[in-house]
Each structure stands twice: as C-alpha cells, then as structure tokens.
Amino acid sequence: MTRYKRVSGDAVEYEVFARKTRGEPLHQVGSVVAPDDDLAVAYARATYDEERWIEMAIVRKDDIIELWQPGEP
Amino acid sequence: MSLSDLVLSIADNKQMLGLRYAEWATRAPSLEADIAAAAMGLDDLGHSRVLLGCLEPLGEDPRGQERETDSGSLRSLPYFDEPWTEWAQFVAANAILDTAFTVMIEACVNGSVEVLQHRLRKMLMEERYHFLHGRSWLKSGINAEPLNRAWTEAIEWFGPPDGEVALLHREGKLSLGPKELQARLEEQLETKAPKVEVDWKGWDPVRRRSKPGAIDEHTFSMLRGLEEKKFAPTSAQSKEV
C-alpha cells in the first residue's frame, strides 16, 4: 500500500498530540513538516495553539512503530 | 531618558516587528513558516500592547501628540523602516532582533520594578517559540548583510556602556547592562556578534538608533488607521465628517 508523504528534501514529518484536561489521553491533532525538532516545536505551537491545551507534544512520524494500517487484516 | 522611555522603545519595536512578520504570512518558504510568521506577528503586537499598558503604572508616559503625525517620533529601529524584501531579512530579525528584545525583557523581569516583573513574564514563555524558530532558520544559513545589520542595530539598541541602560542596571531596575545583554544574546544564539564600532556621538538616545529616517508612509498610515478608512463605506466616511 502506497502512503502519501508530504515531506521533501531534509524535511521530516512530525505528528502533533495534545489534550485539554488531565483526565483525557493525548490525541493526535495534526502534523507539521520541519527540518529539525526546534522548528517543528515552533510550527506545532503556531499551527495548533488556538485551543486551550494543557499539554502538547510532537513525535517524528518515522519513530512511530505501527502494528497495522487501514485495510490490513 | 527613563525606564518608561526604554519600555516605549521595546513596545514600538515589537509593534513594528509584529507588522513586518505579518507581511510574510503568505510569502514564507513553507505553509508552516507562513503560519508561524502570522502567529509570531500576533504575539508581538500583543506584547506591544502589554508594554504600552505598563507606562502608566511606571508613572510616566512619554508618548506625545507628535506620534499621530510624525513617523519619525516612533522609536523603532531602522531595520523596520521599510518592508523586508528577502526571507533572510525576516530570519535575521527573528533570530537576532527578536531575541535582543527578549533578553531586555528578561532584564526587566529579573529587575526590581514590580509591574514589569509581573506583566512581562508571560512574554518570555511565548518568545521561546520565536527563538526556536529564528535560531533554527539561522542555522540553515542566510546572507551576511541582513545578519550584520541586525547585530549592529541590536548592539546599538542595547546602548552605550555609560548610557541609560547601564544606569538602570546599576540601580537594579534592570538585571543586565549593555555588555551583559550582548553576552546573553550571544549565549542564546550560540554565536559571537561581529565586531561593531558604534559612534555613540551620533546615536539618538531616545530612538536608540544612529541612522535617521522613519517607517514607510503606508505602514505609518496603517498604524494611524488611515488605510483602514479607505475601505470604509462612503456613508460611514460622510458620517464622520
């Protein structure tokens, strides 16, 4: 299965996670593309800071270990 | 010159920095950078308003009527006089000038003046993201010209070794003097400033700059709300008259 990637050159895709209360788990709110962690942090904050999150975190998409994908058994 | 004059200088510079950032909200190299330019612009315009709100509690508001008609009375640096034409100018301002304003705000927050200690602290949290953005783009490499210009203007803005900022530092109102501010800026950016020779005799202590000039006419009209009026319905304009 071919998956769409929107990165080019040295840029890396990061997934952005956040939550609004301590009681809820972190959930994915979007993604950003950046050449390094610092810029990814700045972009994530600029792009997803509209809501009152109590926590936000980013992770390199390549560091996520997938167990299965949509369409797989 | 007083602490209020310095706070007004930070406010005017942040206002212009915010406006110049905003001009790049659709011209930056990537969608993420566009959004960051818009977000940082909003932050700095907000910071400017908070700083202006500190003038009254400081006991002195140096803003005069001339600010309504004379763009040369605003206290922003020459770097903001004209819109930036290259991304490198954005990056140099973001990395060096924005961080220079932040280290001055740090010096206010860590100084002895209560209203600045309390009201400016939140800015430092927001500025962390501006710093990460600027430093990362700076590391990717930009032209020397805007970089040297930004360093020169930052060092000029910190002021002479025996000037008002040095005095405010000695009095404890600022936790850092000009020399320490430059050292802190260099430490933050992990780089040394180029050698800058400032002729302090030609330096304007109120506008904290050596170069004469002022912001462009269009931007000044926008600040005064005149650009906005051009888009108002004719009926609304005639009512005002």
Side-chain angles (χ1 to χ4, degrees):
Chain A
M1 181 182 171
T2 307
R3 302 191 71 200
Y4 172 68
K5 273 175 84 89
R6 65 191 184 102
V7 299
S8 62
D10 295 330
V12 174
E13 192 164 5
Y14 294 77
E15 301 291 357
V16 182
F17 298 86
R19 61 175 165 168
K20 287 183 185 170
T21 63
R22 287 174 188 275
E24 68 178 304
L26 280 168
H27 61 271
Q28 192 201 11
V29 293
S31 64
V32 291
V33 170
D36 60 48
D37 293 354
D38 283 352
L39 209 45
V41 165
Y43 287 164
R45 179 260 173 177
T47 310
Y48 298 104
D49 193 37
E50 287 301 313
E51 297 185 64
R52 297 179 76 86
W53 309 111
I54 62 153
E55 185 175 353
M56 182 179 283
I58 61 169
V59 62
R60 282 171 175 249
K61 190 167 182 158
D62 289 345
D63 288 342
I64 294 175
I65 300 168
E66 288 179 336
L67 275 68
W68 58 82
Q69 295 176 3
E72 291 184 2
Chain B
M1 271 292 288
S2 63
L3 186 58
S4 295
D5 285 300
L6 179 66
V7 169
L8 181 55
S9 172
I10 311 173
D12 278 357
N13 276 297
K14 275 193 166 275
Q15 181 178 51
M16 283 313 305
L17 180 64
L19 286 170
R20 296 299 182 220
Y21 278 159
E23 288 168 350
W24 279 81
T26 56
R27 289 195 288 158
S30 69
L31 178 61
E32 277 88 348
D34 280 346
I35 295 166
M40 291 190 296
L42 280 171
D43 285 340
D44 278 313
L45 290 170
H47 295 173
S48 177
R49 293 186 69 82
V50 172
L51 286 154
L52 292 174
C54 293
L55 295 174
E56 199 193 331
L58 284 174
E60 186 192 345
D61 188 341
R63 287 175 293 177
Q65 284 295 318
E66 69 280 4
R67 289 169 66 89
E68 287 298 311
T69 51
D70 177 14
S71 56
S73 65
L74 300 184
R75 302 183 181 196
S76 49
L77 290 172
Y79 202 97
F80 306 122
D81 283 355
E82 297 293 330
W84 303 325
T85 54
E86 294 171 27
W87 177 243
Q89 292 172 287
F90 184 111
V91 173
N94 186 199
I96 295 159
L97 292 173
D98 204 350
T99 310
F101 303 144
T102 303
V103 298
M104 186 68 89
I105 289 166
E106 265 181 20
C108 293
V109 169
N110 296 322
S112 60
V113 179
E114 211 169 317
V115 65
L116 301 182
Q117 287 172 354
H118 295 152
R119 294 198 189 178
L120 308 191
R121 194 172 295 276
K122 184 167 171 270
M123 280 181 206
L124 298 178
M125 282 151 59
E126 292 177 349
E127 284 294 337
R128 174 173 171 254
Y129 302 100
H130 297 210
F131 168 69
L132 291 175
H133 187 272
R135 188 179 63 174
S136 180
W137 274 102
L138 190 64
K139 281 181 182 168
S140 71
I142 61 161
N143 308 340
E145 198 279 323
L147 203 55
N148 288 335
R149 194 175 158 206
W151 270 112
T152 303
E153 294 196 17
I155 290 165
E156 280 192 8
W157 187 72
F158 289 150
D162 54 351
E164 192 69 23
V165 167
L167 178 64
L168 291 167
H169 174 45
R170 283 199 298 276
E171 291 172 350
K173 292 176 181 170
L174 295 176
S175 68
L176 303 169
K179 203 172 113 189
E180 294 83 8
L181 287 161
Q182 182 179 331
R184 176 84 178 118
L185 181 58
E186 290 173 332
E187 179 197 327
Q188 287 275 87
L189 294 169
E190 298 165 4
T191 181
K192 292 295 276 182
K195 195 159 174 53
V196 174
E197 296 285 347
V198 182
D199 176 11
W200 294 110
K201 284 178 196 152
W203 184 72
D204 180 342
V206 174
R207 302 181 75 205
R208 310 192 69 76
R209 57 190 269 175
S210 299
K211 202 176 162 189
I215 58 169
D216 66 289
E217 203 177 321
H218 171 76
T219 307
F220 188 54
S221 295
M222 197 166 66
L223 287 176
R224 295 167 64 210
L226 300 179
E227 289 298 312
E228 201 177 8
K229 280 186 183 168
K230 286 183 189 169
F231 299 94
T234 322
S235 56
Q237 285 179 4
S238 60
K239 270 183 200 167
E240 275 185 28
V241 177

